[in-house]
Protein backbone atom coordinates (compact mmCIF):
# COMPACT_ATOMS: atom_id res chain seq x y z
CA UNK A 1 0.00 0.00 0.00
CA UNK A 2 1.23 3.47 -0.84
CA UNK A 3 2.31 5.69 2.03
CA UNK A 4 -0.21 8.20 3.31
CA UNK A 5 0.71 11.74 4.33
CA UNK A 6 0.08 12.51 7.99
CA UNK A 7 -0.84 15.72 9.69
CA UNK A 8 2.22 17.23 11.47
CA UNK A 9 0.49 17.32 14.84
CA UNK A 10 -0.62 13.76 14.41
CA UNK A 11 2.96 12.69 13.62
CA UNK A 12 4.27 14.37 16.78
CA UNK A 13 1.67 12.64 18.88
CA UNK A 14 2.59 9.25 17.43
CA UNK A 15 6.34 10.00 17.35
CA UNK A 16 7.17 10.46 21.01
CA UNK A 17 7.51 7.48 23.27
CA UNK A 18 4.68 8.51 25.53
CA UNK A 19 2.38 9.05 22.56
CA UNK A 20 3.11 5.62 21.16
CA UNK A 21 2.36 3.99 24.48
CA UNK A 22 -1.00 5.71 24.78
CA UNK A 23 -2.22 5.49 21.18
CA UNK A 24 -4.44 2.47 21.80
CA UNK A 25 -6.36 4.29 24.54
CA UNK A 26 -6.60 7.72 22.92
CA UNK A 27 -10.23 7.82 21.77
CA UNK A 28 -9.92 11.43 20.66
CA UNK A 29 -6.93 10.65 18.44
CA UNK A 30 -8.32 7.57 16.72
CA UNK A 31 -11.84 8.96 16.60
CA UNK A 32 -10.58 11.84 14.49
CA UNK A 33 -8.25 9.80 12.31
CA UNK A 34 -10.02 10.94 9.14
CA UNK A 35 -9.02 14.54 9.95
CA UNK A 36 -5.31 13.63 9.69
CA UNK A 37 -5.22 10.93 6.97
CA UNK A 38 -6.92 10.87 3.57
CA UNK A 39 -8.88 7.69 4.31
CA UNK A 40 -10.31 7.64 0.81
CA UNK A 41 -6.80 6.69 -0.37
CA UNK A 42 -6.82 3.74 2.04
CA UNK A 43 -10.30 2.71 0.93
CA UNK A 44 -9.26 2.76 -2.74
CA UNK A 45 -6.46 0.25 -2.05
CA UNK A 46 -8.75 -2.45 -0.64
CA UNK A 47 -9.30 -5.70 -2.57
CA UNK A 48 -12.72 -6.24 -4.15
CA UNK A 49 -14.40 -8.14 -1.31
CA UNK A 50 -13.00 -5.98 1.48
CA UNK A 51 -13.86 -2.84 -0.46
CA UNK A 52 -17.57 -3.53 -0.10
CA UNK A 53 -17.37 -5.25 3.28
CA UNK A 54 -15.51 -2.33 4.89
CA UNK A 55 -17.85 0.33 3.60
CA UNK A 56 -19.45 -0.25 7.01
CA UNK A 57 -16.44 1.36 8.72
CA UNK A 58 -17.85 4.87 8.45
CA UNK A 59 -20.38 6.98 6.60
CA UNK A 60 -17.72 8.44 4.32
CA UNK A 61 -16.53 5.03 3.10
CA UNK A 62 -20.13 4.00 2.58
CA UNK A 63 -20.68 7.11 0.47
CA UNK A 64 -17.47 6.60 -1.51
CA UNK A 65 -18.49 3.06 -2.46
CA UNK A 66 -21.23 4.51 -4.65
CA UNK A 67 -19.54 7.79 -5.65
CA UNK A 68 -19.06 7.56 -9.43
CA UNK A 69 -16.41 10.30 -9.60
CA UNK A 70 -14.34 8.66 -6.83
CA UNK A 71 -14.61 5.21 -8.43
CA UNK A 72 -13.69 6.49 -11.88
CA UNK A 73 -10.63 8.28 -10.53
CA UNK A 74 -9.46 5.50 -8.21
CA UNK A 75 -10.02 2.42 -10.40
CA UNK A 76 -9.68 3.67 -13.97
CA UNK A 77 -6.45 1.69 -14.48
CA UNK A 78 -7.18 -1.14 -12.03
CA UNK A 79 -7.77 -4.73 -13.18
CA UNK A 80 -8.73 -7.64 -10.92
CA UNK A 81 -5.78 -10.08 -10.74
CA UNK A 82 -6.27 -13.12 -12.96
CA UNK A 83 -7.57 -15.71 -12.81
CA UNK A 84 -10.98 -14.73 -11.44
CA UNK A 85 -14.35 -16.31 -12.15
CA UNK A 86 -17.96 -15.15 -12.16
CA UNK A 87 -20.24 -17.98 -11.02
CA UNK A 88 -23.93 -18.41 -11.79
CA UNK A 89 -25.80 -21.22 -10.05
CA UNK A 90 -29.42 -21.92 -9.13
CA UNK A 91 -30.25 -22.45 -5.48
CA UNK A 92 -33.46 -23.96 -4.21
CA UNK A 93 -34.93 -20.52 -3.50
CA UNK A 94 -32.71 -17.99 -5.26
CA UNK A 95 -29.87 -17.49 -7.71
CA UNK A 96 -26.34 -17.83 -6.32
CA UNK A 97 -24.12 -15.45 -8.29
CA UNK A 98 -20.79 -13.97 -7.37
CA UNK A 99 -17.09 -13.38 -7.92
CA UNK A 100 -14.45 -15.94 -7.03
CA UNK A 101 -11.13 -14.08 -6.97
CA UNK A 102 -7.61 -14.68 -5.69
CA UNK A 103 -5.78 -12.12 -3.58
CA UNK A 104 -2.61 -10.90 -5.27
CA UNK A 105 -0.45 -10.89 -2.12
CA UNK A 106 -1.71 -13.88 -0.10
CA UNK A 107 -2.76 -16.10 -3.00
CA UNK A 108 -5.94 -17.04 -1.11
CA UNK A 109 -9.32 -17.23 -2.82
CA UNK A 110 -12.30 -15.14 -1.71
CA UNK A 111 -15.99 -15.19 -2.59
CA UNK A 112 -18.17 -12.10 -2.98
CA UNK A 113 -21.88 -12.51 -3.60
CA UNK A 114 -23.21 -10.33 -6.43
CA UNK A 115 -26.77 -9.48 -5.58
CA UNK A 116 -28.93 -9.65 -8.72
CA UNK A 117 -32.41 -10.21 -7.36
CA UNK A 118 -35.07 -10.21 -10.06
CA UNK A 119 -32.68 -10.42 -13.00
CA UNK A 120 -33.35 -13.02 -15.69
CA UNK A 121 -30.18 -12.78 -17.79
CA UNK A 122 -26.79 -12.94 -16.10
CA UNK A 123 -23.41 -13.53 -17.73
CA UNK A 124 -19.97 -11.95 -17.86
CA UNK A 125 -17.13 -11.24 -20.26
CA UNK A 126 -13.70 -9.80 -19.33
CA UNK A 127 -14.99 -8.68 -15.94
CA UNK A 128 -18.10 -6.93 -17.29
CA UNK A 129 -21.24 -8.51 -15.82
CA UNK A 130 -24.53 -8.17 -17.66
CA UNK A 131 -27.92 -8.56 -16.00
CA UNK A 132 -31.42 -7.42 -16.78
CA UNK A 133 -34.76 -7.04 -15.03
CA UNK A 134 -38.14 -7.42 -16.67
CA UNK A 135 -40.39 -4.38 -16.40
CA UNK A 136 -43.99 -3.75 -17.43
CA UNK A 137 -45.17 -3.68 -21.06
CA UNK A 138 -42.38 -5.96 -22.32
CA UNK A 139 -39.72 -3.47 -21.33
CA UNK A 140 -36.56 -4.47 -19.51
CA UNK A 141 -33.79 -2.67 -17.66
CA UNK A 142 -30.34 -3.64 -18.98
CA UNK A 143 -27.31 -3.15 -16.74
CA UNK A 144 -23.57 -3.76 -16.99
CA UNK A 145 -21.43 -3.90 -13.86
CA UNK A 146 -17.66 -3.41 -14.24
CA UNK A 147 -15.95 -5.58 -11.64
CA UNK A 148 -12.65 -3.72 -12.12
CA UNK A 149 -13.95 -0.19 -11.53
CA UNK A 150 -16.84 -1.20 -9.21
CA UNK A 151 -19.12 0.89 -11.46
CA UNK A 152 -22.46 -0.05 -12.96
CA UNK A 153 -24.02 1.36 -16.11
CA UNK A 154 -27.73 1.30 -16.89
CA UNK A 155 -28.20 1.13 -20.63
CA UNK A 156 -30.75 3.47 -22.23
CA UNK A 157 -33.78 1.77 -23.84
CA UNK A 158 -33.09 0.36 -27.31
CA UNK A 159 -34.63 1.74 -30.48
CA UNK A 160 -37.11 -1.14 -30.78
CA UNK A 161 -38.80 -3.06 -27.98
CA UNK A 162 -38.89 -6.84 -28.38
CA UNK A 163 -41.84 -8.90 -27.18
CA UNK A 164 -39.45 -11.73 -26.42
CA UNK A 165 -38.76 -11.81 -22.69
CA UNK A 166 -35.44 -13.58 -23.27
CA UNK A 167 -33.64 -12.23 -26.34
CA UNK A 168 -30.19 -13.46 -27.26
CA UNK A 169 -27.50 -11.19 -25.81
CA UNK A 170 -23.73 -10.92 -26.01
CA UNK A 171 -20.87 -8.44 -25.85
CA UNK A 172 -17.68 -7.34 -27.54
CA UNK A 173 -15.19 -5.89 -25.03
CA UNK A 174 -12.33 -3.54 -25.95
CA UNK A 175 -9.71 -4.37 -23.32
CA UNK A 176 -7.19 -1.89 -24.79
CA UNK A 177 -9.08 0.99 -23.17
CA UNK A 178 -9.29 1.96 -19.49
CA UNK A 179 -11.93 1.53 -18.37
CA UNK A 180 -13.04 -1.15 -20.80
CA UNK A 181 -15.36 -0.08 -23.61
CA UNK A 182 -17.93 -2.51 -24.96
CA UNK A 183 -20.59 -3.17 -27.56
CA UNK A 184 -23.69 -4.95 -26.30
CA UNK A 185 -25.55 -7.04 -28.90
CA UNK A 186 -29.18 -8.09 -28.66
CA UNK A 187 -30.99 -10.30 -31.16
CA UNK A 188 -34.61 -11.37 -31.30
CA UNK A 189 -36.97 -12.87 -33.85
CA UNK A 190 -39.52 -10.04 -33.78
CA UNK A 191 -37.22 -6.97 -34.07
CA UNK A 192 -33.96 -6.17 -35.81
CA UNK A 193 -30.58 -6.83 -34.20
CA UNK A 194 -29.61 -3.89 -31.99
CA UNK A 195 -26.13 -2.92 -30.77
CA UNK A 196 -25.32 -0.56 -27.89
CA UNK A 197 -21.96 1.23 -27.95
CA UNK A 198 -20.64 2.32 -24.55
CA UNK A 199 -18.43 5.00 -26.12
CA UNK A 200 -21.35 6.87 -27.66
CA UNK A 201 -23.94 5.67 -25.12
CA UNK A 202 -26.30 4.98 -28.01
CA UNK A 203 -27.94 2.16 -29.97
CA UNK A 204 -27.72 1.28 -33.65
CA UNK A 205 -30.02 -1.06 -35.56
CA UNK A 206 -28.97 -3.75 -38.03
CA UNK A 207 -31.07 -5.50 -40.66
CA UNK A 208 -30.74 -9.08 -39.36
CA UNK A 209 -33.09 -10.89 -37.00
CA UNK A 210 -32.40 -13.78 -34.66
CA UNK A 211 -34.49 -16.94 -34.68
CA UNK A 212 -35.38 -19.70 -32.27
CA UNK A 213 -36.33 -20.12 -28.64
CA UNK A 214 -35.28 -18.23 -25.53
CA UNK A 215 -31.72 -19.00 -24.40
CA UNK A 216 -31.97 -19.68 -20.64
CA UNK A 217 -28.69 -19.74 -18.67
CA UNK A 218 -26.04 -18.23 -20.94
CA UNK A 219 -22.28 -17.97 -21.40
CA UNK A 220 -20.80 -15.89 -24.21
CA UNK A 221 -17.50 -15.64 -26.09
CA UNK A 222 -16.19 -13.46 -28.91
CA UNK A 223 -13.54 -14.56 -31.38
CA UNK A 224 -12.46 -13.30 -34.83
CA UNK A 225 -15.52 -11.17 -35.40
CA UNK A 226 -18.01 -13.84 -34.30
CA UNK A 227 -20.11 -13.85 -31.12
CA UNK A 228 -20.80 -17.30 -29.62
CA UNK A 229 -23.74 -17.84 -27.26
CA UNK A 230 -23.91 -21.14 -25.38
CA UNK A 231 -27.21 -21.64 -23.62
CA UNK A 232 -29.83 -24.28 -22.93
CA UNK A 233 -30.56 -24.88 -26.60
CA UNK A 234 -29.25 -27.93 -28.43
CA UNK A 235 -27.11 -25.72 -30.68
CA UNK A 236 -24.59 -22.94 -30.13
CA UNK A 237 -25.94 -19.65 -31.43
CA UNK A 238 -23.48 -17.49 -33.39
CA UNK A 239 -23.62 -13.93 -34.69
CA UNK A 240 -21.18 -12.80 -37.38
CA UNK A 241 -20.65 -9.09 -36.70
CA UNK A 242 -19.14 -8.40 -40.12
CA UNK A 243 -21.87 -10.15 -42.12
CA UNK A 244 -24.66 -9.18 -39.69
CA UNK A 245 -25.84 -12.78 -39.75
CA UNK A 246 -27.23 -15.09 -37.08
CA UNK A 247 -26.66 -18.81 -37.34
CA UNK A 248 -26.16 -21.93 -35.26
CA UNK A 249 -23.52 -24.63 -34.96
CA UNK A 250 -23.62 -28.05 -33.33
CA UNK A 251 -21.80 -28.65 -30.02
CA UNK A 252 -19.37 -31.58 -29.67
CA UNK A 253 -21.02 -34.87 -30.49
CA UNK A 254 -20.41 -36.62 -27.18
CA UNK A 255 -21.64 -35.63 -23.77
CA UNK A 256 -24.17 -32.84 -24.42
CA UNK A 257 -26.58 -32.73 -21.46
CA UNK A 258 -29.08 -30.29 -20.00
CA UNK A 259 -27.38 -30.19 -16.59
CA UNK A 260 -23.75 -30.40 -17.62
CA UNK A 261 -21.28 -27.81 -18.86
CA UNK A 262 -23.22 -25.77 -21.38
CA UNK A 263 -20.55 -23.09 -21.51
CA UNK A 264 -18.17 -21.56 -24.05
CA UNK A 265 -15.01 -19.45 -23.86
CA UNK A 266 -12.29 -17.93 -26.05
CA UNK A 267 -8.53 -17.60 -25.61
CA UNK A 268 -5.82 -16.55 -28.08
CA UNK A 269 -8.34 -16.33 -30.95
CA UNK A 270 -9.52 -19.89 -30.29
CA UNK A 271 -12.89 -21.13 -29.05
CA UNK A 272 -13.28 -23.88 -26.44
CA UNK A 273 -16.08 -25.78 -24.74
CA UNK A 274 -16.05 -28.69 -22.25
CA UNK A 275 -18.52 -31.57 -22.22
CA UNK A 276 -19.54 -34.36 -19.87
CA UNK A 277 -20.09 -37.93 -21.00
CA UNK A 278 -21.78 -39.69 -18.03
CA UNK A 279 -21.75 -43.06 -19.81
CA UNK A 280 -17.97 -43.07 -20.20
CA UNK A 281 -17.49 -41.04 -16.98
CA UNK A 282 -15.28 -38.43 -18.62
CA UNK A 283 -15.11 -34.65 -19.01
CA UNK A 284 -13.50 -33.50 -22.24
CA UNK A 285 -12.34 -30.09 -23.45
CA UNK A 286 -12.88 -29.33 -27.14
CA UNK A 287 -11.56 -26.71 -29.55
CA UNK A 288 -13.67 -25.38 -32.43
CA UNK A 289 -12.13 -25.68 -35.89
CA UNK A 290 -13.84 -23.59 -38.55
CA UNK A 291 -12.03 -23.78 -41.90
CA UNK A 292 -13.03 -21.05 -44.35
CA UNK A 293 -16.35 -21.85 -46.03
CA UNK A 294 -16.33 -25.38 -44.63
CA UNK A 295 -18.32 -27.23 -42.00
CA UNK A 296 -17.08 -26.57 -38.48
CA UNK A 297 -15.79 -29.41 -36.32
CA UNK A 298 -14.62 -30.00 -32.75
CA UNK A 299 -11.22 -31.39 -31.83
CA UNK A 300 -10.60 -32.93 -28.40
CA UNK A 301 -7.86 -31.06 -26.49
CA UNK A 302 -7.72 -32.99 -23.23
CA UNK A 303 -9.83 -34.92 -20.73
CA UNK A 304 -10.11 -34.77 -16.95
CA UNK A 305 -8.27 -37.54 -15.04
CA UNK A 306 -10.59 -40.26 -13.75
CA UNK A 307 -9.87 -39.64 -10.06
CA UNK A 308 -10.82 -35.97 -10.41
CA UNK A 309 -14.01 -36.92 -12.26
CA UNK A 310 -14.99 -39.32 -9.43
CA UNK A 311 -14.27 -36.65 -6.81
CA UNK A 312 -16.19 -33.96 -8.72
CA UNK A 313 -19.29 -36.17 -9.03
CA UNK A 314 -19.26 -37.17 -5.33
CA UNK A 315 -18.70 -40.83 -6.21
CA UNK A 316 -18.09 -43.24 -3.32
CA UNK A 317 -19.62 -40.77 -0.85
CA UNK A 318 -21.36 -41.97 2.30
CA UNK A 319 -24.30 -41.52 2.10
CA UNK A 320 -24.40 -41.87 -1.71
CA UNK A 321 -25.18 -38.78 -3.82
CA UNK A 322 -27.82 -39.01 -6.55
CA UNK A 323 -26.22 -37.74 -9.76
CA UNK A 324 -29.55 -36.14 -10.68
CA UNK A 325 -28.99 -33.68 -7.82
CA UNK A 326 -25.64 -32.52 -9.22
CA UNK A 327 -25.08 -29.88 -11.90
CA UNK A 328 -21.64 -29.48 -13.47
CA UNK A 329 -21.08 -25.82 -14.34
CA UNK A 330 -18.22 -23.84 -15.84
CA UNK A 331 -16.63 -20.38 -15.83
CA UNK A 332 -13.80 -18.97 -17.95
CA UNK A 333 -10.87 -16.58 -17.51
CA UNK A 334 -8.39 -16.50 -20.41
CA UNK A 335 -6.60 -19.87 -20.50
CA UNK A 336 -8.26 -21.00 -17.27
CA UNK A 337 -11.46 -23.06 -17.22
CA UNK A 338 -13.13 -23.58 -13.85
CA UNK A 339 -15.32 -26.70 -13.69
CA UNK A 340 -17.40 -27.02 -10.54
CA UNK A 341 -20.11 -29.23 -9.08
CA UNK A 342 -23.30 -27.64 -7.78
CA UNK A 343 -25.11 -29.99 -5.38
CA UNK A 344 -28.82 -29.19 -5.25
CA UNK A 345 -30.03 -31.31 -2.31
CA UNK A 346 -27.90 -30.60 0.73
CA UNK A 347 -29.64 -30.91 4.11
CA UNK A 348 -27.58 -28.20 5.82
CA UNK A 349 -27.11 -25.60 3.06
CA UNK A 350 -29.99 -26.24 0.64
CA UNK A 351 -27.59 -26.01 -2.30
CA UNK A 352 -23.83 -25.78 -2.34
CA UNK A 353 -20.71 -25.68 -4.47
CA UNK A 354 -17.63 -27.15 -2.79
CA UNK A 355 -15.84 -29.12 -5.50
CA UNK A 356 -13.86 -27.09 -8.00
CA UNK A 357 -11.38 -28.23 -10.66
CA UNK A 358 -9.18 -25.81 -12.60
CA UNK A 359 -7.96 -26.63 -16.11
CA UNK A 360 -5.17 -24.68 -17.80
CA UNK A 361 -5.39 -24.64 -21.60
CA UNK A 362 -1.78 -23.52 -21.95
CA UNK A 363 -0.22 -26.30 -19.87
CA UNK A 364 -3.07 -28.84 -20.16
CA UNK A 365 -3.02 -29.48 -16.44
CA UNK A 366 -5.92 -30.22 -14.06
CA UNK A 367 -5.93 -29.41 -10.35
CA UNK A 368 -8.31 -29.26 -7.43
CA UNK A 369 -9.10 -25.75 -6.29
CA UNK A 370 -9.13 -25.53 -2.50
CA UNK A 371 -11.28 -22.75 -1.05
CA UNK A 372 -10.22 -21.67 2.47
CA UNK A 373 -13.68 -20.49 3.51
CA UNK A 374 -15.64 -23.69 2.88
CA UNK A 375 -18.50 -24.26 0.42
CA UNK A 376 -20.26 -21.59 -1.63
CA UNK A 377 -23.89 -21.82 -0.57
CA UNK A 378 -27.35 -20.44 -1.08
CA UNK A 379 -27.98 -20.43 2.66
CA UNK A 380 -25.33 -20.00 5.34
CA UNK A 381 -25.42 -22.35 8.34
CA UNK A 382 -25.39 -19.73 11.09
CA UNK A 383 -27.19 -16.49 11.83
CA UNK A 384 -23.87 -14.67 12.24
CA UNK A 385 -22.68 -15.78 8.80
CA UNK A 386 -26.00 -14.76 7.29
CA UNK A 387 -25.61 -11.27 8.74
CA UNK A 388 -22.13 -11.03 7.25
CA UNK A 389 -23.42 -12.10 3.84
CA UNK A 390 -26.14 -9.46 4.01
CA UNK A 391 -23.45 -6.81 4.41
CA UNK A 392 -21.40 -8.24 1.53
CA UNK A 393 -24.35 -8.28 -0.87
CA UNK A 394 -23.99 -4.60 -1.56
CA UNK A 395 -23.39 -4.65 -5.30
CA UNK A 396 -26.85 -3.69 -6.43
CA UNK A 397 -27.56 -3.53 -10.15
CA UNK A 398 -29.57 -0.35 -9.91
Amino acid sequence: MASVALDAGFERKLGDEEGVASCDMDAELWGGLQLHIGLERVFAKLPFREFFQLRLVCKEWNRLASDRAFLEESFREYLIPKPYFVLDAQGLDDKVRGLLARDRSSGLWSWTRLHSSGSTEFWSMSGLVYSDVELANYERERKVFNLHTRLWLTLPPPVEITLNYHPFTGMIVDTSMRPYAFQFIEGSEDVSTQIFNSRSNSWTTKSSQQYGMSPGRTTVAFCKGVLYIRCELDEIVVYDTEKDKWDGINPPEFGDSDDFLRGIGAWQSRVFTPSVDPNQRVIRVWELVRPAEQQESWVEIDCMPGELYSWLFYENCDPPVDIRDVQILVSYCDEHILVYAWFMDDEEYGARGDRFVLFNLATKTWQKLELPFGPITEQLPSQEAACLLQHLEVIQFQ
Side-chain angles (χ1 to χ4, degrees):
M1 183 178 295
S3 60
V4 181
L6 302 179
D7 176 90
F10 186 73
E11 285 185 330
R12 285 195 300 271
K13 194 160 189 178
L14 288 179
D16 62 76
E17 183 176 345
E18 180 181 352
V20 171
S22 61
C23 278
D24 291 341
M25 304 302 294
D26 194 333
E28 180 181 356
L29 170 64
W30 294 108
L33 186 64
Q34 73 278 11
L35 302 178
H36 306 278
I37 298 177
L39 291 184
E40 70 279 356
R41 296 174 60 185
V42 177
F43 190 46
K45 296 291 183 180
L46 294 173
F48 187 90
R49 183 177 186 272
E50 287 77 6
F51 178 87
F52 289 101
Q53 181 182 10
L54 295 180
R55 68 184 296 179
L56 303 174
V57 166
C58 60
K59 291 181 179 179
E60 178 63 8
W61 280 18
N62 184 56
R63 183 191 68 79
L64 288 173
S66 57
D67 186 314
R68 179 171 292 272
F70 167 76
L71 296 174
E72 288 179 344
E73 178 182 355
S74 301
F75 299 105
R76 178 174 297 275
E77 300 295 329
Y78 177 79
L79 296 177
I80 296 176
K82 296 179 181 179
Y84 60 86
F85 302 97
V86 176
L87 308 188
D88 177 18
Q90 175 63 62
L92 299 180
D93 300 316
D94 196 8
K95 303 286 187 181
V96 181
R97 294 161 168 170
L99 173 68
L100 186 64
R102 186 164 58 186
D103 182 77
R104 192 192 305 271
S105 57
S106 68
L108 296 178
W109 291 88
S110 65
W111 166 252
T112 306
R113 189 84 170 262
L114 304 180
H115 186 72
S116 57
S117 178
S119 65
T120 54
E121 294 292 316
F122 182 91
W123 47 261
S124 67
M125 182 181 288
S126 300
L128 303 186
V129 181
Y130 172 75
S131 69
D132 66 8
V133 176
E134 298 175 0
L135 305 175
N137 301 320
Y138 295 98
E139 294 185 356
R140 59 198 315 107
E141 190 174 50
R142 301 159 178 83
K143 305 171 184 179
V144 174
F145 182 76
N146 188 324
L147 293 171
H148 309 289
T149 64
R150 284 88 155 156
L151 278 169
W152 52 263
L153 172 67
T154 299
L155 278 58
V159 179
E160 300 180 72
I161 303 298
T162 176
L163 301 183
N164 186 348
Y165 272 121
H166 301 285
F168 289 84
T169 57
M171 189 182 293
I172 305 170
V173 181
D174 184 354
T175 59
S176 67
M177 299 187 64
R178 298 290 187 274
Y180 290 169
F182 66 89
Q183 295 181 67
F184 172 78
I185 300 172
E186 182 172 291
S188 187
E189 59 185 353
D190 60 339
V191 300
S192 300
T193 300
Q194 301 180 88
I195 301 178
F196 172 82
N197 192 316
S198 66
R199 292 189 183 95
S200 61
N201 196 41
S202 62
W203 292 84
T204 57
T205 301
K206 301 292 185 177
S207 59
S208 65
Q209 287 184 324
Q210 164 55 352
Y211 62 92
M213 301 170 58
S214 300
R217 179 190 286 132
T218 298
T219 58
V220 296
F222 183 76
C223 180
K224 296 182 178 179
V226 178
L227 179 69
Y228 297 85
I229 303 174
R230 189 73 172 105
C231 53
E232 296 176 7
L233 301 182
D234 291 333
E235 66 177 3
I236 299 172
V237 176
V238 299
Y239 174 67
D240 191 315
T241 59
E242 296 180 1
K243 299 179 180 179
D244 183 30
K245 179 183 178 181
W246 291 89
D247 204 345
I249 62 175
N250 292 321
E253 181 178 359
F254 301 104
D256 194 42
S257 172
D258 289 342
D259 290 331
F260 298 143
L261 286 179
R262 292 204 165 188
I264 197 163
W267 173 64
Q268 291 189 343
S269 300
R270 300 155 67 192
V271 176
F272 301 90
T273 188
S275 69
V276 177
D277 187 339
N279 296 324
Q280 297 186 13
R281 299 177 58 256
V282 63
I283 290 179
R284 298 182 176 93
V285 176
W286 306 82
E287 180 179 355
L288 177 64
V289 179
R290 300 193 72 183
E293 306 302 327
Q294 298 182 31
Q295 182 69 26
E296 70 281 338
S297 62
W298 293 92
V299 177
E300 182 177 339
I301 298 299
D302 205 23
C303 62
M304 180 182 292
E307 63 273 15
L308 282 181
Y309 180 96
S310 297
W311 176 77
L312 190 69
F313 272 87
Y314 298 92
E315 293 182 355
N316 303 318
C317 285
D318 187 20
V321 171
D322 190 336
I323 192 175
R324 292 172 296 181
D325 294 329
V326 179
Q327 291 183 338
I328 304 298
L329 306 175
V330 64
S331 182
Y332 298 82
C333 182
D334 287 349
E335 71 270 30
H336 304 281
I337 301 179
L338 181 68
V339 181
Y340 61 102
W342 187 253
F343 184 38
M344 293 290 295
D345 190 23
D346 183 79
E347 293 183 359
E348 181 177 5
Y349 298 109
R352 74 170 191 265
D354 61 355
R355 303 204 171 186
F356 299 80
V357 177
L358 195 59
F359 176 65
N360 190 312
L361 288 165
T363 60
K364 295 185 179 179
T365 54
W366 301 82
Q367 67 179 87
K368 289 183 182 179
L369 186 64
E370 302 292 344
L371 302 182
F373 47 82
I376 292 174
T377 66
E378 176 188 20
Q379 300 175 354
L380 296 179
S382 69
Q383 183 177 1
E384 292 79 10
C387 291
L388 173 61
L389 179 60
Q390 181 181 7
H391 292 316
L392 292 178
E393 287 185 334
V394 296
I395 306 174
Q396 302 285 342
F397 296 96
Q398 61 184 0

